[in-house]
Amino acid sequence: QIEIDFLNSCCFEQKFWTRTKHLILNECNNRLRPIPINRELLKNFTHLQILDLRSNRIESIENGALDWLRNLKELNLSDNLLRIIRNDQFKELRKCELLNLDENRIEFLQDFSFSNMKCLKSLSIYGNRLNRINANMLNGLENLQILDMGYN
C-alpha cells in the first residue's frame, strides 16, 4: 500500500509503480487545483487493485484514463467534483467489485455507464444531484448486491 500526500506531475513515471497494488492519493493539491485524471497519470499502474482518489477535487476523468487499470477491484472517487459519468468511463474495469461515487455533483449517468463492470458487487452514488435514472443505467450488472442512491 502506498499513500501519497503530494502529487508531482512526474512522480508516477518511475518503473517501480508497475507492481503497486494499492494506491491512495490523500487530498493532493486539494486547496490549489483539481488533479487531472488522464491516461499519462495512470499508465504505469497495470497491477493496481485498489485506487482511492477521494477528496481530490477531481472534476472529470479523461476518456481512456482508467483503461490501464484492468486488474482494479476497488475504485473510490467519493467527495470530488464529478458531474457526468459517461458510458465509456469504466469500460475496462471488468474486474472491479466496488465503485464509490458518493458525494460528488453527478447530475447525469449516461445509459450503460457500468455495463462492462460484470464483477461489480457494490455501487454507491449516495449524495449526488441525480434527478433522473435511466432504465439502462444498470444493464450488465449481474453480480450487483449493493446499490446506494440515497440523498439525490
Side-chain angles (χ1 to χ4, degrees), residues 61 75-80 82 85 90 99-106 109 114 123-128:
I61 300 171
L75 177 58
N76 188 342
L77 290 165
S78 65
D79 193 27
N80 280 293
L82 295 171
I85 301 299
F90 307 113
L99 177 59
N100 187 337
L101 298 168
D102 291 348
E103 302 292 340
N104 275 279
R105 297 178 180 176
I106 300 170
L109 295 165
F114 312 107
L123 173 60
S124 189
I125 313 171
Y126 177 94
N128 280 282

Side-chain angles (χ1 to χ4, degrees), residues 102-131:
D102 291 348
E103 302 292 340
N104 275 279
R105 297 178 180 176
I106 300 170
E107 299 170 354
F108 183 68
L109 295 165
Q110 289 186 348
D111 283 350
F112 309 104
S113 293
F114 312 107
S115 63
N116 283 355
M117 302 183 80
K118 306 291 184 200
C119 293
L120 196 64
K121 294 178 182 175
S122 176
L123 173 60
S124 189
I125 313 171
Y126 177 94
N128 280 282
R129 298 177 181 174
L130 292 171
N131 55 22

Side-chain angles (χ1 to χ4, degrees), residues 68-106:
W68 302 104
L69 307 177
R70 293 191 170 121
N71 291 304
L72 201 66
K73 292 184 186 268
E74 296 181 18
L75 177 58
N76 188 342
L77 290 165
S78 65
D79 193 27
N80 280 293
L81 304 172
L82 295 171
R83 291 185 182 273
I84 295 174
I85 301 299
R86 293 183 312 276
N87 62 6
D88 62 346
Q89 201 83 68
F90 307 113
K91 68 181 178 188
E92 296 299 330
L93 302 184
R94 293 183 178 102
K95 294 181 181 177
C96 191
E97 297 176 2
L98 182 143
L99 177 59
N100 187 337
L101 298 168
D102 291 348
E103 302 292 340
N104 275 279
R105 297 178 180 176
I106 300 170

Side-chain angles (χ1 to χ4, degrees), residues 24-70:
I24 301 170
L25 296 181
N26 291 325
E27 301 181 35
C28 299
N29 294 330
N30 196 8
R31 303 292 176 244
L32 302 176
R33 66 182 191 277
I35 292 178
I37 302 300
N38 56 44
R39 289 182 62 83
E40 278 303 302
L41 180 71
L42 298 172
K43 72 178 182 180
N44 290 321
F45 293 94
T46 55
H47 292 281
L48 202 62
Q49 293 180 2
I50 299 171
L51 180 57
D52 188 341
L53 295 172
R54 78 181 124 196
S55 304
N56 282 292
R57 299 189 61 207
I58 297 168
E59 294 175 343
S60 66
I61 300 171
E62 184 181 284
N63 281 343
L66 302 174
D67 289 359
W68 302 104
L69 307 177
R70 293 191 170 121

Side-chain angles (χ1 to χ4, degrees), residues 109 130-135 137-138 149:
L109 295 165
L130 292 171
N131 55 22
R132 178 182 78 185
I133 304 297
N134 295 331
M137 184 195 85
L138 301 175
M149 299 180 76

